[in-house]
Amino acid sequence: MGAPLIQSVLHPAGVQAARINQLWWVMFWVCTIVFIAVVLAMAVAIVRGRRGASSATDATLSRWVAVAVGVSIVALLVLLTQSVLTGRGIEMLRDQNALRIQITGNQWWWDIQYLHTNPSLIVSTANEVHVPIGRPVEIVLKSNDVIHSLWIPALHGKRDLIPGRQNEIWVQADRAGFYRGQCAEFCGLQHAKMALTVVADLPDDFERWLSHMRGPAPAPTTDSEIKGRDVIERGPCAMCHMVAGTLAGGRTAPDLTHLASRSTIGAGSLPNTRGNLAGWIADPQHIKPGNHMPAPGLTSEELQALLDYLETLK
């Protein structure tokens, strides 16, 4: 992924983020004007005091207090009105034909499922979400352990994932690109390394991606790749990870069926390269202390075969 990740409220790429950005600028300018007015009033008072100017009459003071109160009320009403309009605006995206995605928070990664009425067409992946531009997306939010909070600044505000409760958020990307999301609720030791990448695709590109993701993992073609698949199926990997089309059917860790197509590993901890992947598998606690993946205890030969196989999972 060569394009930069965008993670800024000030660079909105969707309708809700644009409304939030507008509210931010209104608050910024109102507060700036209030700050300047207060500083100027304080400066005038200091100068008049040093010059020994006569005290203002009660009538004059009353007029200035009345003006200040009136201006404050107007400023508060402007902020309140803009806040209410923003709140209503970001909830107007609901659409019965929206794409439905379920995101489940785990310590410390995101489980992602593209929902469908036909169970055989459900797509599972992890830590990377693809969405089509110009189409509303309903994101169903759940948590498997503690409270998390999904925040994709360029697309929307924050929304909590609470254990035992289903929440939702609606987003729409209006511009193709790569947008970084983050858990915004402290959820444990590796909270800071719980990132999410959102890829906004052109509609045709998204449909091709989704169709590809519905397929099983490609069959290995070399002896090394076959051995790598055997390492997954017969070793500890299969207890937690799933690789569609193989005997690995675990559901407590990220789905590896199309691992090589993702840009990062460890929920944004490292770029998805062979070297980083080798280091992660050999000693995951060194890279992300406290995560729930133990070292599998592979030999050097097994590790290289496993890497050969994982690189085919595109």
Side-chain angles (χ1 to χ4, degrees), residues 259-283:
L259 170 67
S261 68
R262 301 201 282 264
S263 58
T264 67
I265 58 174
S269 299
L270 293 169
N272 189 3
T273 65
R274 184 183 179 97
N276 288 336
L277 192 57
W280 175 267
I281 295 171
D283 189 3

Side-chain angles (χ1 to χ4, degrees), residues 224 227-228 231 274 298-308:
S224 180
K227 183 174 181 179
V231 169
R274 184 183 179 97
L298 303 178
T299 66
S300 177
E301 184 180 1
E302 289 173 331
L303 177 59
Q304 294 305 315
L306 177 58
L307 292 171
D308 288 341

Side-chain angles (χ1 to χ4, degrees), residues 103-106 110 140-143 146-150 159-163 165 167 194:
I103 297 181
T104 304
N106 302 272
W110 306 94
V140 179
L141 300 173
K142 296 182 177 181
S143 173
V146 300
I147 297 177
H148 301 279
S149 184
L150 178 65
R159 193 63 53 91
D160 286 346
L161 294 75
I162 302 173
R165 177 180 173 182
N167 211 343
M194 189 174 172

Side-chain angles (χ1 to χ4, degrees), residues 68-233:
V69 170
V71 171
S72 298
I73 292 175
V74 171
L76 291 174
L77 287 175
V78 169
L79 294 179
L80 176 62
T81 301
Q82 187 64 37
S83 179
V84 171
L85 292 176
T86 299
R88 290 180 177 179
I90 62 178
E91 294 297 329
M92 293 178 62
L93 191 63
R94 299 173 184 270
D95 189 328
Q96 293 183 345
N97 297 318
L99 174 69
R100 297 187 74 236
I101 302 174
Q102 178 175 296
I103 297 181
T104 304
N106 302 272
Q107 289 178 312
W108 292 274
W109 61 284
W110 306 94
D111 182 33
I112 299 162
Q113 287 191 328
Y114 287 77
L115 303 178
H116 199 281
T117 53
N118 183 348
S120 65
L121 297 180
I122 293 176
V123 169
S124 295
T125 183
N127 304 319
E128 188 167 296
V129 179
H130 284 247
V131 298
I133 63 172
R135 180 180 176 185
V137 179
E138 178 189 3
I139 301 178
V140 179
L141 300 173
K142 296 182 177 181
S143 173
N144 277 336
D145 36 51
V146 300
I147 297 177
H148 301 279
S149 184
L150 178 65
W151 187 28
I152 311 169
L155 297 179
H156 210 307
K158 303 173 185 177
R159 193 63 53 91
D160 286 346
L161 294 75
I162 302 173
R165 177 180 173 182
Q166 178 175 300
N167 211 343
E168 64 180 28
I169 189 172
W170 292 73
V171 302
Q172 177 177 306
D174 292 333
R175 187 171 67 249
F178 300 88
Y179 307 101
R180 188 177 189 272
Q182 177 70 43
C183 179
E185 180 79 24
F186 181 73
C187 55
L189 180 63
Q190 292 299 328
H191 161 70
K193 290 187 177 180
M194 189 174 172
L196 177 78
T197 300
V198 178
V199 183
D201 295 319
L202 296 175
D204 291 343
D205 292 338
F206 171 76
E207 291 299 332
R208 282 192 292 269
W209 175 87
L210 190 62
S211 177
H212 175 72
M213 292 293 288
R214 286 177 174 144
T221 57
T222 68
D223 291 341
S224 180
E225 292 170 2
I226 293 172
K227 183 174 181 179
R229 183 185 62 184
D230 291 341
V231 169
I232 286 184
E233 291 182 329

